[in-house]
Amino acid sequence: GVIKSTSGYSGGHLKNPKYEDVIYKDTGHVETIEIIYDPKIVSYEELLNVFWNNIDPFDRYGQFCDKGYSYRSVIFTQNKMEEKTVKDSFKKVEKKFDNKIVTLVWRFDVFYKAENYHQNYYQKNFLQYLAYKRACQREEVLNKIWN
């Protein structure tokens, strides 16, 4: 059901930010992904479930090795239906773990596509990505949380 995913930045005040701006300056942006999907094939709720299973919803400082403002987990919503679905999803996850989620929910405004070298990074730089993933213990952290 996912048609396209694009790496980028959202949530900040600088127009057309670049990676260096987002990571090293106070732009207000977070690294994000734009997902274009067919709701007849995959629901918004199903996408949220995939999201949860790929992050640490209890880490307020970032994700895995990536720490800092621009690496925090954020869900962007575009309408009341999405806001309600996210709120319901929060309740389910918090109940499951008896713990408060620190993932932020922001109203979507504009998405800026990241530089080409960020697109499909894990495919273009597979060995580097595997080394990063292992060094950050991504799978171990996710297994500890979700399994």
Coordinates of all heavy atoms in Angstrom, one line a residue, residues 61-138:
Y61 N 15.3 11.9 23.7 CA 16.4 12.6 23.2 C 16.8 12.3 21.8 O 17.7 12.8 21.2 CB 17.6 12.3 24.1 CG 17.4 12.7 25.5 CD1 17.2 11.8 26.5 CD2 17.3 14.1 25.9 CE1 16.9 12.2 27.8 CE2 17.0 14.5 27.2 CZ 16.8 13.5 28.1 OH 16.6 13.9 29.4
G62 N 16.1 11.3 21.2 CA 16.4 10.9 19.8 C 16.1 9.5 19.6 O 15.3 8.9 20.3
Q63 N 16.8 8.9 18.7 CA 16.6 7.5 18.4 C 18.0 6.8 18.2 O 18.8 7.2 17.4 CB 15.8 7.3 17.1 CG 14.4 7.8 17.2 CD 13.6 6.9 18.2 OE1 13.5 5.7 18.0 NE2 13.1 7.5 19.2
F64 N 18.1 5.8 19.0 CA 19.3 4.9 19.0 C 20.6 5.8 19.1 O 20.7 6.4 20.1 CB 19.3 4.1 17.7 CG 17.9 3.4 17.5 CD1 17.1 3.9 16.5 CD2 17.5 2.4 18.3 CE1 15.8 3.3 16.3 CE2 16.3 1.8 18.2 CZ 15.4 2.3 17.2
C65 N 21.5 5.8 18.2 CA 22.7 6.6 18.3 C 22.5 8.1 18.0 O 23.3 8.9 18.4 CB 23.8 6.1 17.3 SG 24.6 4.6 17.7
D66 N 21.4 8.4 17.3 CA 21.1 9.7 16.9 C 20.4 10.5 18.0 O 19.2 10.2 18.2 CB 20.3 9.8 15.6 CG 21.0 9.2 14.4 OD1 22.2 9.4 14.3 OD2 20.4 8.4 13.6
K67 N 21.0 11.4 18.6 CA 20.5 12.2 19.7 C 20.5 13.7 19.3 O 21.3 14.1 18.6 CB 21.3 12.0 21.0 CG 21.4 10.6 21.4 CD 20.0 9.9 21.7 CE 20.2 8.5 22.2 NZ 19.0 7.8 22.3
G68 N 19.5 14.4 19.8 CA 19.4 15.8 19.6 C 18.0 16.2 19.1 O 17.2 15.3 18.7
Y69 N 17.7 17.5 19.0 CA 16.4 18.0 18.7 C 15.9 17.4 17.4 O 14.8 17.0 17.3 CB 16.5 19.5 18.6 CG 15.2 20.2 18.4 CD1 14.5 20.6 19.5 CD2 14.7 20.5 17.1 CE1 13.3 21.3 19.3 CE2 13.5 21.1 17.0 CZ 12.8 21.5 18.1 OH 11.6 22.1 17.9
S70 N 16.7 17.4 16.4 CA 16.3 17.0 15.0 C 16.1 15.5 14.9 O 15.6 15.0 13.9 CB 17.3 17.5 14.0 OG 18.5 16.9 14.2
Y71 N 16.4 14.7 15.9 CA 16.3 13.3 15.8 C 15.1 12.7 16.7 O 14.9 11.5 16.8 CB 17.6 12.6 16.2 CG 18.7 12.8 15.2 CD1 19.8 13.5 15.6 CD2 18.6 12.3 13.9 CE1 20.9 13.7 14.7 CE2 19.7 12.5 13.0 CZ 20.8 13.2 13.4 OH 21.8 13.4 12.6
R72 N 14.4 13.6 17.4 CA 13.3 13.1 18.2 C 12.2 12.6 17.3 O 12.1 12.9 16.2 CB 12.7 14.3 19.0 CG 13.7 14.9 20.0 CD 13.2 16.1 20.6 NE 12.9 17.1 19.6 CZ 12.1 18.1 19.8 NH1 11.5 18.3 20.9 NH2 11.8 19.0 18.8
S73 N 11.4 11.6 17.9 CA 10.4 11.1 17.1 C 9.2 12.0 17.1 O 8.7 12.4 18.2 CB 10.0 9.6 17.6 OG 9.5 9.7 18.9
V74 N 8.6 12.2 16.0 CA 7.5 13.1 15.8 C 6.5 12.5 14.8 O 6.9 11.9 13.8 CB 7.9 14.5 15.3 CG1 6.7 15.4 15.0 CG2 8.9 15.2 16.2
I75 N 5.2 12.6 15.1 CA 4.2 12.2 14.1 C 3.5 13.5 13.7 O 3.1 14.3 14.5 CB 3.2 11.3 14.8 CG1 3.8 10.0 15.2 CG2 2.0 11.0 13.8 CD1 2.9 9.1 16.0
F76 N 3.5 13.7 12.4 CA 2.8 14.9 11.9 C 1.4 14.5 11.4 O 1.2 13.5 10.7 CB 3.6 15.4 10.7 CG 4.9 16.1 11.0 CD1 6.0 15.3 11.1 CD2 4.9 17.4 11.4 CE1 7.2 15.9 11.4 CE2 6.1 18.0 11.7 CZ 7.3 17.2 11.8
T77 N 0.4 15.3 11.8 CA -1.0 15.0 11.4 C -1.5 16.1 10.5 O -1.1 17.3 10.6 CB -1.9 14.9 12.7 OG1 -1.9 16.1 13.4 CG2 -1.5 13.8 13.6
Q78 N -2.4 15.8 9.6 CA -3.0 16.7 8.7 C -4.4 17.1 8.9 O -4.9 18.0 8.4 CB -2.8 16.2 7.3 CG -1.4 16.0 6.9 CD -1.2 15.6 5.5 OE1 -1.3 16.4 4.6 NE2 -1.0 14.3 5.3
N79 N -5.1 16.3 9.8 CA -6.5 16.5 10.0 C -7.0 15.9 11.3 O -6.2 15.2 11.9 CB -7.4 16.0 8.8 CG -7.1 14.5 8.5 OD1 -7.2 13.7 9.4 ND2 -6.7 14.2 7.3
K80 N -8.3 16.1 11.6 CA -8.8 15.6 12.9 C -8.9 14.1 12.9 O -8.6 13.5 14.0 CB -10.2 16.1 13.1 CG -10.3 17.6 13.3 CD -9.8 18.0 14.6 CE -9.9 19.5 14.9 NZ -9.2 19.9 16.0
M81 N -9.1 13.4 11.8 CA -9.2 12.0 11.7 C -7.8 11.4 12.1 O -7.7 10.5 12.9 CB -9.6 11.5 10.4 CG -9.7 9.9 10.2 SD -8.2 9.0 10.0 CE -7.5 9.7 8.5
E82 N -6.7 12.0 11.5 CA -5.4 11.5 11.9 C -5.0 11.8 13.3 O -4.5 10.9 14.0 CB -4.4 12.2 10.9 CG -4.4 11.6 9.5 CD -3.4 12.3 8.6 OE1 -2.6 13.2 9.1 OE2 -3.3 11.9 7.4
E83 N -5.4 12.9 13.8 CA -5.2 13.3 15.2 C -5.9 12.3 16.1 O -5.2 11.8 17.1 CB -5.7 14.7 15.6 CG -4.9 15.8 14.9 CD -5.5 17.2 15.1 OE1 -6.3 17.3 16.0 OE2 -5.1 18.1 14.4
K84 N -7.1 11.9 15.9 CA -7.8 10.9 16.7 C -7.1 9.5 16.6 O -7.0 8.8 17.6 CB -9.3 10.8 16.3 CG -10.1 9.8 17.1 CD -11.5 9.7 16.7 CE -12.3 8.7 17.5 NZ -11.6 7.6 18.2
T85 N -6.8 9.1 15.4 CA -6.1 7.8 15.2 C -4.8 7.8 16.0 O -4.5 6.8 16.6 CB -5.9 7.6 13.7 OG1 -7.1 7.7 13.0 CG2 -5.3 6.2 13.5
V86 N -4.0 8.9 15.9 CA -2.8 8.9 16.7 C -3.0 8.9 18.2 O -2.4 8.1 18.9 CB -2.0 10.2 16.3 CG1 -0.8 10.4 17.3 CG2 -1.5 10.1 14.9
K87 N -4.0 9.6 18.6 CA -4.4 9.6 20.1 C -4.8 8.2 20.5 O -4.3 7.7 21.6 CB -5.5 10.6 20.3 CG -5.8 10.9 21.8 CD -6.9 11.9 22.0 CE -6.4 13.3 21.7 NZ -7.3 14.3 22.0
D88 N -5.6 7.5 19.7 CA -6.0 6.2 20.1 C -4.8 5.2 20.1 O -4.6 4.3 20.9 CB -7.0 5.6 19.1 CG -8.4 6.3 19.2 OD1 -8.6 7.0 20.2 OD2 -9.2 6.2 18.2
S89 N -3.9 5.4 19.1 CA -2.7 4.6 19.0 C -1.8 4.8 20.3 O -1.2 3.9 20.8 CB -1.9 5.0 17.7 OG -0.8 4.2 17.6
F90 N -1.6 6.1 20.7 CA -0.9 6.4 21.9 C -1.4 5.6 23.1 O -0.7 5.0 23.9 CB -1.0 7.9 22.2 CG 0.2 8.7 21.7 CD1 0.4 8.8 20.3 CD2 1.0 9.4 22.6 CE1 1.4 9.6 19.9 CE2 2.0 10.2 22.1 CZ 2.2 10.3 20.8
K91 N -2.7 5.6 23.2 CA -3.4 4.9 24.4 C -3.1 3.4 24.4 O -2.7 2.9 25.4 CB -4.9 5.1 24.3 CG -5.3 6.5 24.7 CD -6.8 6.7 24.6 CE -7.3 8.1 24.8 NZ -8.7 8.3 24.5
K92 N -3.1 2.8 23.2 CA -2.8 1.4 23.1 C -1.4 1.1 23.5 O -1.1 0.1 24.2 CB -3.1 0.9 21.7 CG -4.5 0.8 21.3 CD -4.6 0.3 19.8 CE -6.1 0.4 19.4 NZ -6.2 0.1 17.9
V93 N -0.4 1.9 23.0 CA 1.0 1.6 23.2 C 1.3 1.9 24.7 O 2.0 1.1 25.4 CB 1.9 2.5 22.3 CG1 3.4 2.3 22.7 CG2 1.7 2.0 20.9
E94 N 0.7 3.0 25.2 CA 1.0 3.3 26.6 C 0.4 2.3 27.6 O 1.0 1.9 28.6 CB 0.4 4.7 27.0 CG 1.3 5.8 26.4 CD 0.8 7.2 26.7 OE1 -0.4 7.4 27.0 OE2 1.6 8.2 26.5
K95 N -0.8 1.8 27.2 CA -1.4 0.7 28.0 C -0.6 -0.6 28.0 O -0.3 -1.2 29.0 CB -2.8 0.5 27.5 CG -3.6 -0.6 28.4 CD -5.0 -0.7 27.9 CE -5.7 -1.8 28.8 NZ -7.1 -2.0 28.3
K96 N -0.1 -0.9 26.8 CA 0.7 -2.1 26.7 C 2.0 -2.1 27.5 O 2.4 -3.1 28.1 CB 1.1 -2.3 25.2 CG 2.0 -3.5 24.9 CD 2.4 -3.7 23.5 CE 3.3 -4.9 23.3 NZ 3.5 -5.2 21.9
F97 N 2.6 -0.9 27.6 CA 3.9 -0.8 28.4 C 3.7 -0.2 29.7 O 4.7 -0.1 30.5 CB 4.9 0.0 27.5 CG 5.3 -0.7 26.3 CD1 4.8 -0.4 25.1 CD2 6.2 -1.8 26.4 CE1 5.2 -1.1 23.9 CE2 6.6 -2.4 25.2 CZ 6.1 -2.1 24.0
D98 N 2.6 0.3 30.0 CA 2.4 1.1 31.3 C 3.4 2.1 31.4 O 4.1 2.3 32.5 CB 2.3 0.1 32.5 CG 1.8 0.8 33.7 OD1 1.0 1.8 33.6 OD2 2.2 0.4 34.8
N99 N 3.6 2.9 30.3 CA 4.7 3.9 30.3 C 4.2 5.0 29.4 O 3.5 4.8 28.4 CB 6.0 3.3 29.7 CG 7.2 4.1 30.0 OD1 7.1 5.2 30.6 ND2 8.4 3.6 29.7
K100 N 4.7 6.2 29.6 CA 4.3 7.4 28.9 C 5.2 7.5 27.6 O 6.4 7.5 27.7 CB 4.4 8.7 29.7 CG 4.0 9.9 29.1 CD 2.8 10.5 29.8 CE 2.4 11.8 29.2 NZ 1.4 11.7 28.2
I101 N 4.5 7.7 26.5 CA 5.2 7.9 25.2 C 5.7 9.3 25.2 O 5.0 10.3 25.6 CB 4.2 7.7 24.0 CG1 3.9 6.2 23.9 CG2 4.8 8.1 22.7 CD1 2.8 5.9 22.9
V102 N 6.9 9.5 24.6 CA 7.5 10.9 24.5 C 7.5 11.3 23.0 O 7.9 12.5 22.7 CB 8.9 11.0 25.1 CG1 8.8 10.8 26.6 CG2 9.8 10.1 24.4
T103 N 7.0 10.5 22.1 CA 6.9 10.9 20.7 C 6.0 12.1 20.7 O 5.0 12.2 21.3 CB 6.3 9.7 19.9 OG1 7.2 8.6 19.9 CG2 6.0 10.2 18.5
L104 N 6.4 13.1 19.9 CA 5.6 14.3 19.8 C 4.6 14.2 18.6 O 4.8 13.5 17.7 CB 6.6 15.5 19.5 CG 7.7 15.7 20.5 CD1 8.8 16.6 20.0 CD2 7.0 16.2 21.8
V105 N 3.6 15.0 18.7 CA 2.6 15.1 17.6 C 2.5 16.5 17.3 O 2.1 17.4 18.1 CB 1.2 14.5 18.1 CG1 0.2 14.7 17.0 CG2 1.3 13.1 18.6
W106 N 2.8 16.8 16.0 CA 2.8 18.2 15.5 C 1.8 18.3 14.3 O 1.7 17.3 13.5 CB 4.2 18.6 15.0 CG 5.2 18.8 16.1 CD1 5.0 18.8 17.5 CD2 6.6 19.0 16.0 NE1 6.2 19.0 18.1 CE2 7.2 19.1 17.2 CE3 7.4 19.1 14.8 CZ2 8.5 19.4 17.4 CZ3 8.8 19.3 15.0 CH2 9.3 19.5 16.3
R107 N 1.2 19.4 14.1 CA 0.4 19.7 13.0 C 1.3 19.8 11.8 O 2.3 20.6 11.8 CB -0.4 20.9 13.2 CG -1.5 21.2 12.2 CD -2.6 20.2 12.3 NE -3.7 20.7 11.6 CZ -4.7 19.9 11.2 NH1 -4.8 18.7 11.6 NH2 -5.7 20.4 10.5
F108 N 1.0 19.1 10.7 CA 1.9 19.2 9.5 C 1.7 20.5 8.8 O 0.5 21.0 8.7 CB 1.5 18.1 8.5 CG 2.2 18.2 7.2 CD1 3.6 17.9 7.1 CD2 1.6 18.6 6.1 CE1 4.3 18.0 5.9 CE2 2.3 18.7 4.9 CZ 3.6 18.4 4.8
D109 N 2.8 21.1 8.3 CA 2.7 22.3 7.6 C 3.4 22.1 6.2 O 2.7 22.2 5.2 CB 3.4 23.5 8.3 CG 3.3 24.8 7.6 OD1 2.4 25.0 6.9 OD2 4.3 25.6 7.8
V110 N 4.7 21.9 6.2 CA 5.4 21.8 4.9 C 6.5 20.7 5.1 O 7.1 20.6 6.1 CB 5.9 23.1 4.4 CG1 7.0 23.7 5.4 CG2 6.5 23.0 3.0
F111 N 6.7 20.0 4.0 CA 7.8 19.0 3.9 C 8.8 19.5 2.9 O 8.5 19.9 1.8 CB 7.2 17.7 3.5 CG 8.2 16.6 3.2 CD1 8.7 15.8 4.3 CD2 8.7 16.3 2.0 CE1 9.6 14.8 4.1 CE2 9.6 15.3 1.7 CZ 10.1 14.6 2.8
Y112 N 10.1 19.3 3.3 CA 11.2 19.7 2.5 C 12.0 18.4 2.2 O 12.4 17.7 3.1 CB 12.1 20.7 3.1 CG 11.5 22.0 3.4 CD1 11.0 22.4 4.6 CD2 11.3 22.9 2.3 CE1 10.4 23.6 4.9 CE2 10.6 24.1 2.5 CZ 10.2 24.5 3.8 OH 9.6 25.7 4.0
K113 N 12.1 18.1 0.9 CA 12.8 16.9 0.5 C 14.3 17.0 0.9 O 14.9 18.0 0.6 CB 12.7 16.6 -1.0 CG 13.4 15.4 -1.5 CD 13.2 15.2 -3.0 CE 13.9 14.0 -3.5 NZ 13.9 13.8 -4.9
A114 N 14.9 16.0 1.5 CA 16.3 15.9 1.8 C 17.1 15.8 0.5 O 16.6 15.4 -0.5 CB 16.6 14.8 2.8
E115 N 18.4 16.1 0.7 CA 19.3 15.9 -0.4 C 19.3 14.5 -1.0 O 18.9 13.6 -0.3 CB 20.7 16.3 0.0 CG 20.9 17.7 0.6 CD 20.4 17.9 2.0 OE1 19.8 17.0 2.6 OE2 20.7 19.0 2.6
N116 N 19.6 14.4 -2.3 CA 19.6 13.1 -2.9 C 20.4 12.0 -2.2 O 20.0 10.9 -2.2 CB 20.0 13.2 -4.4 CG 19.0 13.9 -5.3 OD1 17.8 13.8 -4.9 ND2 19.4 14.5 -6.3
Y117 N 21.5 12.4 -1.6 CA 22.3 11.3 -1.0 C 21.6 10.8 0.2 O 22.0 9.7 0.7 CB 23.7 11.8 -0.7 CG 23.8 12.9 0.4 CD1 24.0 12.5 1.8 CD2 23.8 14.3 0.1 CE1 24.1 13.5 2.8 CE2 23.9 15.2 1.1 CZ 24.0 14.8 2.4 OH 24.2 15.8 3.4
H118 N 20.6 11.4 0.7 CA 19.8 10.9 1.9 C 18.7 9.9 1.4 O 18.2 9.1 2.2 CB 19.2 12.0 2.7 CG 20.1 12.7 3.6 ND1 20.6 12.1 4.7 CD2 20.6 13.9 3.6 CE1 21.4 12.9 5.3 NE2 21.4 14.0 4.7
Q119 N 18.3 10.0 0.2 CA 17.2 9.2 -0.3 C 17.7 7.7 -0.5 O 18.7 7.5 -1.1 CB 16.7 9.7 -1.7 CG 16.3 11.2 -1.6 CD 15.3 11.5 -0.6 OE1 14.4 10.7 -0.3 NE2 15.4 12.6 0.1
N120 N 17.0 6.8 0.1 CA 17.3 5.4 0.0 C 18.7 5.1 0.5 O 19.4 4.3 -0.1 CB 17.1 4.8 -1.4 CG 15.6 5.0 -1.8 OD1 14.7 4.6 -1.1 ND2 15.5 5.6 -3.0
Y121 N 19.1 5.8 1.5 CA 20.5 5.7 2.0 C 20.9 4.3 2.3 O 22.0 3.8 2.0 CB 20.6 6.6 3.3 CG 22.1 6.6 3.8 CD1 23.0 7.5 3.3 CD2 22.5 5.6 4.8 CE1 24.3 7.5 3.8 CE2 23.8 5.6 5.3 CZ 24.7 6.5 4.8 OH 26.0 6.5 5.2
Y122 N 20.0 3.5 2.9 CA 20.4 2.1 3.3 C 20.6 1.3 2.1 O 21.4 0.3 2.2 CB 19.3 1.5 4.2 CG 18.0 1.1 3.4 CD1 17.8 -0.2 3.0 CD2 17.1 2.1 3.1 CE1 16.7 -0.5 2.3 CE2 16.0 1.7 2.3 CZ 15.8 0.4 2.0 OH 14.7 0.1 1.2
Q123 N 20.1 1.6 0.9 CA 20.3 0.8 -0.3 C 21.6 1.3 -0.9 O 22.4 0.5 -1.4 CB 19.2 1.0 -1.3 CG 17.9 0.3 -0.8 CD 16.7 0.6 -1.7 OE1 16.6 1.6 -2.3 NE2 15.8 -0.4 -1.8
K124 N 21.8 2.6 -1.0 CA 23.0 3.2 -1.6 C 24.3 2.9 -0.8 O 25.4 2.8 -1.4 CB 22.8 4.7 -1.8 CG 21.7 5.1 -2.8 CD 21.6 6.6 -2.8 CE 20.5 7.1 -3.6 NZ 20.3 8.5 -3.5
N125 N 24.2 2.8 0.5 CA 25.3 2.7 1.4 C 25.1 1.5 2.3 O 25.2 1.6 3.5 CB 25.5 3.9 2.2 CG 25.7 5.1 1.3 OD1 26.8 5.4 0.8 ND2 24.6 5.9 1.1
F126 N 24.8 0.3 1.7 CA 24.3 -0.8 2.5 C 25.2 -1.2 3.6 O 24.8 -1.4 4.7 CB 24.0 -2.0 1.6 CG 23.3 -3.1 2.3 CD1 22.0 -3.0 2.7 CD2 24.0 -4.3 2.4 CE1 21.4 -4.0 3.4 CE2 23.4 -5.4 3.1 CZ 22.1 -5.2 3.6
L127 N 26.5 -1.4 3.3 CA 27.5 -1.8 4.3 C 27.6 -0.8 5.4 O 27.7 -1.2 6.6 CB 28.8 -2.2 3.7 CG 28.8 -3.4 2.7 CD1 30.2 -3.6 2.1 CD2 28.3 -4.6 3.5
Q128 N 27.7 0.5 5.1 CA 27.8 1.5 6.1 C 26.5 1.5 7.0 O 26.6 1.7 8.2 CB 27.9 2.9 5.4 CG 29.3 3.2 4.8 CD 29.3 4.5 4.1 OE1 28.5 4.7 3.1 NE2 30.2 5.4 4.5
Y129 N 25.4 1.4 6.3 CA 24.1 1.3 7.1 C 24.1 0.1 8.1 O 23.7 0.3 9.2 CB 22.9 1.3 6.2 CG 21.6 1.2 6.9 CD1 21.1 2.2 7.6 CD2 21.0 -0.1 7.0 CE1 19.9 2.1 8.4 CE2 19.8 -0.2 7.8 CZ 19.3 0.9 8.4 OH 18.1 0.8 9.2
L130 N 24.5 -1.0 7.6 CA 24.6 -2.2 8.5 C 25.5 -2.0 9.7 O 25.2 -2.3 10.8 CB 25.0 -3.4 7.7 CG 24.0 -4.0 6.8 CD1 24.6 -5.3 6.1 CD2 22.7 -4.4 7.5
A131 N 26.7 -1.4 9.4 CA 27.6 -1.1 10.5 C 27.0 -0.1 11.5 O 27.1 -0.3 12.7 CB 28.9 -0.5 9.9
Y132 N 26.4 0.9 11.0 CA 25.7 1.9 11.8 C 24.6 1.3 12.7 O 24.5 1.4 13.9 CB 25.1 3.0 11.0 CG 24.1 3.9 11.7 CD1 24.4 4.9 12.5 CD2 22.7 3.6 11.5 CE1 23.5 5.7 13.1 CE2 21.7 4.3 12.1 CZ 22.1 5.4 12.9 OH 21.2 6.1 13.6
K133 N 23.8 0.5 12.0 CA 22.7 -0.2 12.7 C 23.2 -1.1 13.8 O 22.6 -1.2 14.9 CB 21.9 -1.0 11.6 CG 20.6 -1.5 12.0 CD 19.9 -2.1 10.8 CE 19.3 -3.4 11.1 NZ 18.6 -4.0 10.0
R134 N 24.3 -1.8 13.5 CA 24.8 -2.8 14.5 C 25.5 -2.0 15.7 O 25.3 -2.3 16.9 CB 25.9 -3.7 13.9 CG 26.5 -4.6 14.9 CD 27.4 -5.6 14.3 NE 26.9 -6.9 14.7 CZ 27.4 -8.0 14.3 NH1 28.4 -8.0 13.5 NH2 27.0 -9.1 14.8
A135 N 26.3 -0.9 15.4 CA 26.9 -0.1 16.4 C 25.9 0.5 17.3 O 26.2 0.7 18.5 CB 27.8 0.9 15.8
C136 N 24.8 0.9 16.8 CA 23.7 1.6 17.6 C 22.8 0.6 18.3 O 21.9 1.0 19.0 CB 22.9 2.5 16.7 SG 23.9 3.9 16.0
Q137 N 23.0 -0.7 18.0 CA 22.2 -1.7 18.6 C 20.7 -1.5 18.3 O 19.8 -1.8 19.2 CB 22.4 -1.9 20.1 CG 23.9 -2.2 20.4 CD 24.1 -2.4 21.9 OE1 23.5 -1.8 22.7 NE2 25.1 -3.3 22.2
R138 N 20.4 -1.1 17.1 CA 19.0 -0.8 16.8 C 18.1 -2.0 17.0 O 17.1 -1.9 17.6 CB 18.9 -0.3 15.3 CG 17.5 0.0 14.8 CD 17.5 0.4 13.4 NE 16.2 0.5 12.9 CZ 15.5 1.6 12.9 NH1 16.0 2.7 13.4 NH2 14.2 1.6 12.5

